């Protein structure tokens, strides 16, 4: 006999020799397997059985080795099987609990829980009931046959095999195996002392894992089978829908053709009726002529004068001769029956065939969603546009070359809020999904094609509140020293005013240093303001010499001027007309000059008083003049204050004493105003909605702390801004590039 966890293989002949009641057991075994031989009719003895009965272990144990009352398995102690006079078997514990209610009766009795027969409790109590010999024999048989085979070492037969789970080495305690795992130093180290288990246990564990994995595979296959069947149904439904669409679209062509056919037939009918009308009119004329002839031929004149009658007949003959002369023209049909339909005389049929060949298209796809991939930033920033790229692949793993797949995207925050997105089909098998996370959170991005998830979907996108620079330029070997301003030339290059080095550093959009424009010797680190003029020259302010310098891109001074009102000209801006605006922090005023240096006017504070800090000045294309102060002040070209932005402007909250705006730029197409700001404990960039003066978000530059932000310039792509960071103490100056949209 062979026993294992899943099934029991019993030789019925051997089993019969072990039991006193073979008939009952054989009938029981036959209930499970249906395979046993009958007794001989002559000898009533068991005939030779040659078949092996396969019985499920769990079913056999539940039916024969389990108490039907408490459903516990019989054992030699607590749940010992007891045989009742009614031949039913109940465990000792259940009988003890049932017999407790029998003490009040005389004699003490209880009912069998199976057949409900009355059972008398013996004098010795429940323990005096005889044990169930059959069940005990079965338990002994199970114990003797259901034993584990312990694998032994082939080299050392008395030693049990062991398994090192670290290096998968099978050995025994007497085996001297070579070293298994190579360490970083190059020698081999064995992990036998780490995690070693008996091989039999490991084999059982692996068998369970194998069965579990097999079950998972079967479940996956069944799920896949159902999915394929559903896809077949969807394919049929799609076929019917597409076929209906084709029929409907072709019906439109049929309608046009039928309309044109009706037009041609109606035209033919009108032509026929027109011709027939002319012919009927001619028939009426002929009918009238017939009447005239009959009237002429009427000989009854009512007179007896023969001579007069002869003269009358002669006149009638003359009239008839006259009528005969016009008869050929009168009798010739004035219309004809010729009607002919002509086609093929032009290119209409060819054009129609070409049009029909180009009419309609059956779009389909070989995209396999489970092989499609998406690229998503691991960490995105709140308030900034985030892009995800989807690349579709076919069954062979090749990238798809055409678009048009029905892609659905769902982006939701951890709180359940749905984020709006835009999906762009590149028509080459790839797609772009863009969305702007409103807050720092963890977002779930679900991408489906044909309502099936692509590889890795749903994706997790972590969004941070911090916005770090995408690029940093510190000047390479020749470091920047106090970069205070930056402009973008019409040649696409950036010009950084490096005051500490008395130069203007020229670099590309990739922060590649190209050249240096040296400032005049008289500058002596006094140039702090710089602007680009409409004529593509650089106009700078020198607070030491109180001069305005106009330089070309070689560093040559094109023009210079000063004014008696200058005290400390620190910042400069030029509008589209070429007018120059100089912010003088010493005088507390803004002065306006023509492009040649002729004084125009000055801009003052309220009631002609000084302006506050005059940190920086800018000009927008709208001819507005913007002053960076403890608030952002926007003036008209005439100098009238229009409004204030930031720093508590428009509210009862006064601007903080230590909060100073350093520079301002405007992205007019996106209606965004960007301002660099120095606060008491941090330096940031603020992004405002220009039309409504509402703060959108703040760029804090967490990984590269701004020390002292100064001049700014837009990159021109509507996405990036470059900021000069002057630096403080030992911290070097730099130019940082940030995303703001």
């Amino acid at each position: 006999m062979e026993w294992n966890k899943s099934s029991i293989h019993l030789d019925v002949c051997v089993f019969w020799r072990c039991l006193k009641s073979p008939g009952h057991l054989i009938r029981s075994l036959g209930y499970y397997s249906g395979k046993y031989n009958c007794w001989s009719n002559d000898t009533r003895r068991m005939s030779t059985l040659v078949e092996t009965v396969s019985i499920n272990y769990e079913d056999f144990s539940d039916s024969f080795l389990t108490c039907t009352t408490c459903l516990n398995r019989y054992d030699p102690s607590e749940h010992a099987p007891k045989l009742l006079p009614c031949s039913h078997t109940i465990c000792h514990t259940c009988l003890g609990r049932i017999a407790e209610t029998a003490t009040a009766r005389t004699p003490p009795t209880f009912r069998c829980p199976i057949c409900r027969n009355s059972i008398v409790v013996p004098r010795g109590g429940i323990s005096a009931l005889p044990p169930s010999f059959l069940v005990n024999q079965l338990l002994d048989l199970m114990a003797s046959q259901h034993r584990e085979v312990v694998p032994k070492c082939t080299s050392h037969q008395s030693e049990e095999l062991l398994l090192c789970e670290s290096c998968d080495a099978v050995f025994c305690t007497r085996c001297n195996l070579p070293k298994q795992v190579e360490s970083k130093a190059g020698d081999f180290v064995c992990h036998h002392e780490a995690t070693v288990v008996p091989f039999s246990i490991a084999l059982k564990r692996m068998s369970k894992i194998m069965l579990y994995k097999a079950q998972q595979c079967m479940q996956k296959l069944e799920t896949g089978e159902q999915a394929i069947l559903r896809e077949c149904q969807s394919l049929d439904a799609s076929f019917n829908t597409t076929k209906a669409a084709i029929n409907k679209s072709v019906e439109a062509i049929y309608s046009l053709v039928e309309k044109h056919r009706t037009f041609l037939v109606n035209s033919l009918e009108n032509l026929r009726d027109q011709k027939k009308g002319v012919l009927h009119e001619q028939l009426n004329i002929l009918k009238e002529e017939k009447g005239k002839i009959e009237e002429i031929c009427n000989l009854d004149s009512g007179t007896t004068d023969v001579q007069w009658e002869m003269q009358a007949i002669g006149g009638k003959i003359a009239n008839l001769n006259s009528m005969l002369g016009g008869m050929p023209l009168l009798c010739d049909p004035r219309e004809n029956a010729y009607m002919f339909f002509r086609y093929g005389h032009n290119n209409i049929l060819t054009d129609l065939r070409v049009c029909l060949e180009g009419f309609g298209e059956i779009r389909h796809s070989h995209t396999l969603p489970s092989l499609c991939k998406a690229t998503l930033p691991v960490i995105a920033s709140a308030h900034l546009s985030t892009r995800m790229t989807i690349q579709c692949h076919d069954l062979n793993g090749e990238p798809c070359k055409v678009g048009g797949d029905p892609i659905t995207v769902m982006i939701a925050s951890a709180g359940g809020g749905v984020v709006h997105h835009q999906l762009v089909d590149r028509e080459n098998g790839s797609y772009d999904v863009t969305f702007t996370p409103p807050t720092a959170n963890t977002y779930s991005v679900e991408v489906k094609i044909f309502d099936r998830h692509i590889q890795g979907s749903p994706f997790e996108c972590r969004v941070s509140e911090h916005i770090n620079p995408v690029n940093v330029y510190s000047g390479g070997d020749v470091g920047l020293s106090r970069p205070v301003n930056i402009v973008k030339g019409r040649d696409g290059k950036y010009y950084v005013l490096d005051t500490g080095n008395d130069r203007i550093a020229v670099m590309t959009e990739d922060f590649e240093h190209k050249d240096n424009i040296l400032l005049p010797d008289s500058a002596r680190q006094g140039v702090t303001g710089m602007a680009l003029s409409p004529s593509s020259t650089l106009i700078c302010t020198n607070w030491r010499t109180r001069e305005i310098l106009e330089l070309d891109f070689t560093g040559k001074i094109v023009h210079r001027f000063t004014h008696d009102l200058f005290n400390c000209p620190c910042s400069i801006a030029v509008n589209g007309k070429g007018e120059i605006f100089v912010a003088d922090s010493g005088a507390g005023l803004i002065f306006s000059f023509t492009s040649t240096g002729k004084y125009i006017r000055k801009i003052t504070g309220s009631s002609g008083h000084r302006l506050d800090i005059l940190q920086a000045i800018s000009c927008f294309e709208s001819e507005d003049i913007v002053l960076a102060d403890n608030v952002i002040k926007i003036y008209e070209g005439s100098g009238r204050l229009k409004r204030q932005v930031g720093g508590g402007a428009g509210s009862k909250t006064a601007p903080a004493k230590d909060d100073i705006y350093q520079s301002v730029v405007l992205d007019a197409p996106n209606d965004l105003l960007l301002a660099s700001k120095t606060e008491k404990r941090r330096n940031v960039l603020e992004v405002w909605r220009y039309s409504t003066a509402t703060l959108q978000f703040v760029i804090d530059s967490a990984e590269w702390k701004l020390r002292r932000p100064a001049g700014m310039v837009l990159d021109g792509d509507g996405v990036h801004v470059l900021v000069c960071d002057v630096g403080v103490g030992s911290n070097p100056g730099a130019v940082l590039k940030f995303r703001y949209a």
Side-chain angles (χ1 to χ4, degrees), residues 1 63 98 149 292 329 414 525 719:
M1 288 179 289
S63 299
I98 296 172
V149 178
K292 290 179 181 180
L329 181 61
Q525 299 184 357
V719 175

Side-chain angles (χ1 to χ4, degrees), residues 561-577:
F561 68 90
T562 185
H563 197 274
D564 295 338
L565 296 176
F566 283 164
N567 186 318
C568 183
C570 60
S571 182
I572 193 169
V574 182
N575 64 14
K577 298 178 181 178

Side-chain angles (χ1 to χ4, degrees), residues 9-30:
H9 301 285
L10 298 175
D11 189 321
V12 179
C13 294
V14 176
F15 198 76
W16 170 73
R17 297 188 186 98
C18 298
L19 302 175
K20 289 185 177 180
S21 179
H24 174 73
L25 180 59
I26 291 299
R27 286 190 294 272
S28 300
L29 294 177

